[in-house]
Amino acid sequence: AKKPEPPKDTTLVFAGDVYLSDYVLAAYQQSGIQGILSKELRKELKQADVTMVNNEFPYSTRGTQALNKQFTFRVDPSYVRILSESGIDLVTLANNHVLDYGTDALLDTFHTLREAGISYAGAGNSLERAAKPIRKKANRHTFGFLAASRVFPTVSWNVVNAQPGVFSAYDPSRLLAAVKDARAECDFLCVYVHWGIERSTTPEEYQVTLAHALIDAGADAVIGAHPHVLQGVEFYNGKPIFYSLGNFIFYQNIEQTAIAKVTLTDQQDAQWQMLPAKASLSCTSLVTDPAARGDFYNYMEDLSKNVTFLEDGTIIDKNPQPD
């Protein structure tokens, strides 16, 4: 008889805002995927069982540009291959740019991602689809992923008001109900929320309140985006909240960003790490210099509530829950 295979650890990786700007596309056209993601960073994204980012734009050549909006984003659908080549399995579309070119461009985005085999959460042709948890199976675990946005330029972006549209977190009751429902269908549930104030390194009071409510409702981790800079990490009831992971692939230079990585044992013990990264000339790479890494973890500890970081980025909860 064959020996049963030893149980394998499972890893999930989360990164922040992705926008394939002209700078990024120029670097990609010149050097391919290594022009925008270092080899070591690609390895982290590809080796993970599931990698999720915030896809901060529509894939389309159609649509009408949103009026009175300072920044409007749109990217040719052929460039979805950048996500595939990066090892990205899943994106959140719940953000304040995915409808920059209206519903036609959002429909093109759904189609483009489906064709590329990349799952999307937080938007859809109906409230039901936008609020639906994306489920992924890996090593005997079922993972659930939900996404919602609390940043809309106009109320029409809310899928309740117009379809296709985005799942809203302004009134958290629907999102909390979705978390409770999803909790029953998966072993480990992650919620990715677009929230906060741009360029602010401190979460708004509502971010903290909402994050705690999501965990009380059954989330195992809350990941945030939108501020474009890093915000702190908090453990609440033993579950991590990454208030903002900052920009991941965006313009030419990103001073500080990070990936959040969880390693789960077969018994579902979760160990979280934060690995620092930065971008120069549109290429995002892991920070390997020990002194720079030390500075990063000191900085993150100052921003964070009740956590400390080990040298390898492992996050230690300073107020662990009694078992």
Side-chain angles (χ1 to χ4, degrees), residues 256 258-259 273-276 287 290-304 307-315:
Q256 287 182 309
I259 60 173
Q273 283 169 288
M274 205 167 184
L275 303 179
V287 174
R293 285 173 64 93
D295 290 345
F296 173 85
Y297 292 127
N298 289 337
Y299 175 75
M300 284 307 299
E301 275 179 27
D302 289 345
L303 287 186
S304 300
V307 304
T308 172
F309 292 87
L310 303 183
E311 277 180 21
D312 69 347
T314 298
I315 309 169

Side-chain angles (χ1 to χ4, degrees), residues 14 52 92 144-148 167 169 175-176 178-179 182 188-195 210-211 214-215 217-224 240-242:
F14 298 90
M52 182 177 190
T92 166
F145 302 88
L146 281 164
F167 192 26
L175 176 57
L176 293 170
V179 169
F188 197 86
L189 178 63
C190 305
V191 184
Y192 204 131
V193 192
H194 211 71
W195 58 9
L210 178 55
L214 289 167
I215 288 171
D220 289 292
V222 177
I223 314 290
I241 302 157
F242 296 87

Side-chain angles (χ1 to χ4, degrees), residues 10 16 42 49 54 113-114 145-146 170 187 195 249-251 301 308 313 316:
T10 308
R42 281 204 315 281
D49 292 281
N54 171 40
L113 290 166
R114 271 199 304 270
F145 302 88
L146 281 164
Y170 278 99
D187 307 313
W195 58 9
I249 298 172
F250 223 89
Y251 295 131
E301 275 179 27
T308 172
I316 305 295

Side-chain angles (χ1 to χ4, degrees), residues 217-287:
D220 289 292
V222 177
I223 314 290
H226 178 63
H228 299 295
V229 290
L230 290 164
Q231 292 183 347
V233 181
E234 178 190 1
F235 268 89
Y236 170 76
N237 288 348
K239 314 281 187 189
I241 302 157
F242 296 87
Y243 282 104
S244 170
L245 288 177
N247 286 339
F248 183 56
I249 298 172
F250 223 89
Y251 295 131
Q252 278 180 295
N253 298 311
I254 301 168
E255 272 179 54
Q256 287 182 309
T257 184
I259 60 173
K261 177 181 178 181
V262 61
T263 306
L264 278 138
T265 64
D266 198 48
Q267 280 74 45
Q268 289 230 287
D269 292 323
Q271 188 178 45
W272 285 91
Q273 283 169 288
M274 205 167 184
L275 303 179
K278 64 177 200 294
S280 57
L281 299 176
S282 305
C283 183
T284 308
S285 56
L286 287 173
V287 174

Side-chain angles (χ1 to χ4, degrees), residues 112-190:
T112 300
L113 290 166
R114 271 199 304 270
E115 292 283 294
I118 293 164
S119 308
Y120 60 89
N125 287 329
S126 63
L127 171 61
E128 189 187 20
R129 174 61 181 88
K132 182 182 146 179
I134 301 305
R135 287 190 298 178
K136 299 274 183 194
K137 277 193 133 68
N139 303 330
R140 300 197 282 190
H141 305 295
T142 303
F143 296 95
F145 302 88
L146 281 164
S149 179
R150 204 185 165 289
V151 189
F152 290 148
T154 72
V155 292
S156 65
W157 286 40
N158 185 337
V159 70
V160 174
N161 299 324
Q163 292 81 33
V166 176
F167 192 26
S168 169
Y170 278 99
D171 168 4
S173 55
R174 277 201 177 90
L175 176 57
L176 293 170
V179 169
K180 287 186 177 120
D181 291 346
R183 176 72 271 173
E185 299 176 4
C186 60
D187 307 313
F188 197 86
L189 178 63
C190 305

